[in-house]
Amino acid sequence: MDQTLSEATAQTAVTGISPDVVPTWVWLATIGAIAALFVFDFLTHVRKPHEPSFKEAAIWSTFYMTLAMLFGVGVWYFWDRDHGVEYIAGFITEKSLSVDNLFVFVIIMKSFMVPRAYQQKALLIGIVIALVMRGIFIALGAAAIERFSWVFYLFGLFLLWTAWKLVVESLKHGKSTDEEYEPNALVKYFQRHLPTTSDFRGNALTVVENGKRFFTPMFIVIIALGMTDLLFALDSIPAIYGLTDAPYIVFTANAFALLGLLQLYFLIGGLLDRLVYLGIGLSLILAFIGLKLIVHAVEANTLPFLNGGQPIEVPGWMHIEIEQSLMVIVGILVVTTVASLLKSRSLAKAERNDT
């Protein structure tokens, strides 16, 4: 134990990062860098309305994926190996869940008939809104976990319920961008109460006509995108807390998963319908993490009606290291992606034979 403490002290002296506490300056520098990347995204892609080509989307998607992986290498080197693996596992999980979000983004764009040239602005602002709100969720989740260990029971059970709901929906309806969009209560409120123009006015959010300010459909689209992504955070935030208890890792994994989502939308938007088993794969990942959270909650049990409020010992085989979690997550994604592409190819071949 003394050796471990000495190593931790040495690490802090060399890197400036404690094994348990991330300095305020690191938080501020990270948030500033991420904000700068979003500003860069706006200036280079959104400021001039256009529909990105496949090549442009591919180049910038690769750039942001590479940046995210390099950040993980930095966490590994400047912090430690365990946090580096936690970040990578969290990023892969959050990125996979973000791809699932793209189905809804495509449906929203179709529903509001947003011109392709203006979709980048709507997506980027919606993503920024979602990241800010997720930051609040992450802070609340960290505070709750620190004070109440039984929160892991709630997170675990919620993920299991979400996984069940997702697999049922996937088996019953499948994933398709041809589904109809049903606005949530907040979007409906804005649609009913805001003075809105009947059509888009370029990519403007508001316009002034006859001395009165009107909102454009673009504003409603941004609210719809931001609130939709916020709802998706209800399962993604508990999911990553099942892989790490470090708020810094939770935040950065979410931020880098959202960075580049704009380009990914244009890169694979037309291929989403081929990922027929994505929902099942994500449900397996959420169920796996949910069970991990419940095991953790049992080991740290403080609920008075369970074992008299004392921790409950679990078999050794139920302890899953973060490296094993990473292998499970990557394995599920690879299998479901390959199976999806094979299934889509088989369906396309059958359609051609029928014609």
Side-chain angles (χ1 to χ4, degrees):
M1 181 174 178
D2 292 337
Q3 182 180 1
T4 302
L5 289 174
S6 299
E7 290 174 354
T9 303
Q11 177 191 332
T12 303
V14 173
T15 67
I17 300 179
S18 163
D20 300 315
V21 180
V22 176
T24 302
W25 71 265
V26 175
W27 270 103
L28 294 177
T30 303
I31 293 172
I34 290 170
L37 285 171
F38 275 108
V39 172
F40 171 78
D41 224 358
F42 180 85
L43 294 177
T44 56
H45 301 108
V46 177
R47 195 173 184 181
K48 182 180 179 181
H50 69 286
E51 179 182 351
S53 65
F54 180 86
K55 180 180 178 181
E56 179 184 346
I59 289 173
W60 286 107
S61 292
T62 302
F63 169 78
Y64 282 115
M65 286 292 291
T66 303
L67 200 62
M69 290 295 101
L70 288 176
F71 182 84
V73 172
V75 171
W76 187 310
Y77 179 78
F78 289 105
W79 199 341
D80 58 39
R81 175 180 177 277
D82 288 344
H83 286 99
V85 177
E86 287 175 2
Y87 166 81
I88 294 170
F91 170 74
I92 292 174
T93 300
E94 294 298 322
K95 198 68 175 181
S96 303
L97 291 169
S98 295
V99 171
D100 193 46
N101 298 2
L102 294 182
F103 280 94
V104 182
F105 289 176
V106 172
I107 293 170
I108 290 174
M109 293 298 187
K110 286 183 178 179
S111 176
F112 285 95
M113 294 182 289
V114 183
R116 294 280 290 180
Y118 305 145
Q119 290 183 9
Q120 288 195 93
K121 182 175 182 178
L123 285 165
L124 186 60
I125 297 177
I127 289 170
V128 170
I129 292 173
L131 180 58
V132 172
M133 298 302 294
R134 283 190 185 203
I136 296 172
F137 275 20
I138 291 167
L140 293 175
I145 289 170
E146 186 176 353
R147 295 189 60 186
F148 311 108
S149 61
W150 50 262
V151 169
F152 284 110
Y153 282 114
L154 297 182
F155 282 2
L157 291 172
F158 179 75
L159 288 182
L160 289 176
W161 175 77
T162 303
W164 170 253
K165 186 176 68 170
L166 184 57
V167 75
V168 169
E169 290 177 353
S170 297
L171 292 174
K172 187 176 181 180
H173 304 293
K175 285 281 185 181
S176 174
T177 56
D178 292 328
E179 298 177 18
E180 291 187 7
Y181 169 65
E182 178 61 31
N184 59 37
L186 183 62
V187 175
K188 288 180 179 179
Y189 176 85
F190 281 124
Q191 286 178 315
R192 287 196 301 265
H193 294 88
L194 289 182
T196 309
T197 61
S198 59
D199 55 356
F200 288 88
R201 304 299 172 85
N203 63 358
L205 304 183
T206 64
V207 294
V208 176
E209 294 182 352
N210 299 322
K212 184 178 179 180
R213 184 166 296 278
F214 290 86
F215 292 89
T216 69
M218 178 67 75
F219 180 83
I220 305 298
V221 171
I222 290 172
I223 297 298
L225 292 169
M227 292 303 101
T228 298
D229 200 25
L230 182 60
L231 291 176
F232 280 114
L234 294 178
D235 54 41
S236 68
I237 299 301
I240 193 171
Y241 268 120
L243 299 170
T244 178
D245 58 0
Y248 183 79
I249 301 297
V250 176
F251 174 75
T252 52
N254 268 273
F256 278 101
L258 292 177
L259 273 167
L261 193 61
L262 166 64
Q263 289 76 19
L264 196 62
Y265 170 88
F266 289 96
L267 180 64
I268 69 171
L271 303 176
L272 285 173
D273 287 333
R274 297 181 63 185
L275 301 176
V276 293
Y277 295 129
L278 178 63
I280 295 175
L282 292 177
S283 68
L284 291 174
I285 291 173
L286 293 178
F288 168 73
I289 297 175
L291 290 173
K292 277 193 63 177
L293 282 169
I294 291 175
V295 169
H296 178 79
V298 166
E299 289 187 303
N301 178 62
T302 58
L303 296 178
F305 54 84
L306 287 178
N307 198 37
Q310 298 300 311
I312 302 172
E313 187 176 351
V314 299
W317 61 267
M318 297 184 71
H319 290 274
I320 302 175
E321 300 297 331
I322 186 62
E323 292 87 350
Q324 296 169 319
S325 297
L326 177 58
M327 287 189 290
V328 169
I329 292 168
V330 172
I332 290 173
L333 290 174
V334 169
V335 171
T336 53
T337 300
V338 172
S340 294
L341 296 178
L342 291 175
K343 179 67 173 179
S344 297
R345 181 183 297 178
S346 175
L347 291 174
K349 185 177 180 180
E351 289 180 1
R352 287 196 299 269
N353 291 337
D354 290 341
T355 57

